[in-house]
Amino acid sequence: MKPIYRHLVVALLFPLSLAAAAQADLSPQPLITPQNSVPATSVRAESGNRDYRLSPGDTIGVQVYQNPDLSVDARVSDSGVISYPLLGSVQIGGLTVAAAEKKIADALVTGKFVNAPQVTIVLRQILGNQVSVLGEVSKPGRFPLETDTTRVTDILAAAGGIAAPGGDTLVVTGQRDGKPFRKVIDIPALFAGDKANDNIVLKSGDTLYVSKAPVFYIYGEAQRPGQYRMERGMTVMQALAQGGGPTVRGSQNRLRLERRDADGKTVATTPKLTDVIQPGDVLYVGESLF
């Protein structure tokens, strides 16, 4: 090839090489992840549970940075012990996740196995510190106490809140200082802030129960006879409004209220519109005389 043509070829190819190099420099470069590093998802899951106290039945993953032989999954035994490489039995029951990490790290240093271990504990499954939520909630079941300060409102939120048929009262039962514990909580007052002290810290083994809301019944010449949820302080007039009021043939002046007395007998009365409805009341709407 003649020199003049060689220079032309170089001149044509060189800009293309520069453009290709610039494009390569601007393209995203893969991140270099150190071997045996903890995945970001595991770190996020662990960081939210560092105050959780490990209990028998819990399954954990112990990870030591850049020491894969020391990264194991273990189950906390009934005595609060796990079996760990090089260390044997390690008592971690009752410790927080952060304290258990430190205990294992200190033991590895004391035994001169690792100079500066970075120990991370990831909660695989929580079976120890749990409470039960029963009754009229959206998702009844067992829920873990992820911290020492888990309160009633935290668990109610985890259970999806109060279901539509649920009442205004929550009963918490369990053990405190070895003695039976029972507390009745007014739910609306709790969330309104009127009784903030009722938002108690829960303990492992507690049971929360939400009963059904009280109901009353409307029948006769009402627009929508049937069963209805009773609200606090509901009057006969408000109860009648729940049923859509009287039909064309009915009259609010011809009402009859049937209620059980202390002996369980049904007593019929003629109520006033301002009388307060009680659970289980039956309101009958009679026909108009004209």
Side-chain angles (χ1 to χ4, degrees):
M1 181 180 294
K2 294 181 179 180
I4 188 171
Y5 294 117
R6 184 181 298 113
H7 292 308
L8 287 173
V9 171
V10 172
L12 290 172
L13 292 179
F14 186 71
L16 294 176
S17 300
L18 288 176
Q23 184 177 2
D25 290 339
L26 293 174
S27 61
Q29 300 297 315
L31 296 175
I32 300 175
T33 304
Q35 187 178 3
N36 303 323
S37 63
V38 182
T41 53
S42 297
V43 173
R44 285 194 296 269
E46 182 272 333
S47 62
N49 297 282
R50 294 182 59 78
D51 293 332
Y52 173 78
R53 292 193 178 275
L54 298 166
S55 297
D58 291 344
T59 302
I60 62 174
V62 183
Q63 300 171 344
V64 182
Y65 180 66
Q66 291 187 339
N67 288 272
D69 293 340
L70 298 178
S71 297
V72 298
D73 284 352
R75 180 183 178 277
V76 183
S77 69
D78 293 339
S79 58
V81 172
I82 64 169
S83 179
Y84 191 74
L86 301 178
L87 302 180
S89 297
V90 181
Q91 181 75 39
I92 62 172
L95 297 179
T96 63
V97 170
E101 291 172 346
K102 185 177 184 305
K103 183 172 184 176
I104 294 174
D106 290 345
L108 290 173
V109 172
T110 302
K112 298 182 179 179
F113 301 116
V114 184
N115 289 330
Q118 299 180 29
V119 179
T120 301
I121 291 180
V122 180
L123 295 171
R124 305 291 191 204
Q125 187 176 25
I126 298 176
L127 294 179
N129 291 327
Q130 292 187 332
V131 295
S132 299
V133 185
L134 306 174
E136 302 301 325
V137 293
S138 298
K139 297 183 295 184
R142 292 176 63 83
F143 297 88
L145 297 176
E146 297 183 351
T147 68
D148 285 343
T149 58
T150 302
R151 298 183 179 272
V152 169
T153 50
D154 299 324
I155 294 300
L156 283 181
I162 309 300
D168 294 338
T169 302
L170 167 70
V171 179
V172 180
T173 56
Q175 295 279 333
R176 296 293 187 276
D177 299 325
K179 298 179 180 179
F181 171 81
R182 185 177 189 273
K183 185 174 183 62
V184 179
I185 297 174
D186 187 317
I187 298 174
L190 175 65
F191 284 98
D194 298 335
K195 294 185 177 181
N197 291 335
D198 283 350
N199 194 19
I200 60 174
V201 174
L202 297 174
K203 302 295 183 182
S204 179
D206 282 353
T207 299
L208 290 73
Y209 177 74
V210 180
S211 61
K212 285 187 176 181
V215 296
F216 67 94
Y217 305 86
I218 299 178
Y219 77 110
E221 293 298 330
Q223 297 283 354
R224 298 188 301 272
Q227 173 183 296
Y228 290 91
R229 176 192 175 109
M230 193 194 80
E231 304 294 341
R232 293 183 181 181
M234 176 176 281
T235 64
V236 170
M237 179 180 292
Q238 291 170 331
L240 186 60
Q242 286 276 63
T247 63
V248 176
R249 298 174 54 186
S251 171
Q252 69 178 24
N253 295 322
R254 293 184 59 80
L255 300 177
R256 185 172 76 246
L257 183 68
E258 296 182 0
R259 176 180 297 167
R260 292 186 181 275
D261 61 13
D263 297 327
K265 297 181 181 180
T266 300
V267 179
T269 60
T270 301
K272 299 178 181 178
L273 293 177
T274 55
D275 287 349
V276 176
I277 292 290
Q278 294 185 11
D281 281 355
V282 179
L283 185 62
Y284 173 76
V285 183
E287 292 185 12
S288 174
L289 294 177
F290 304 99

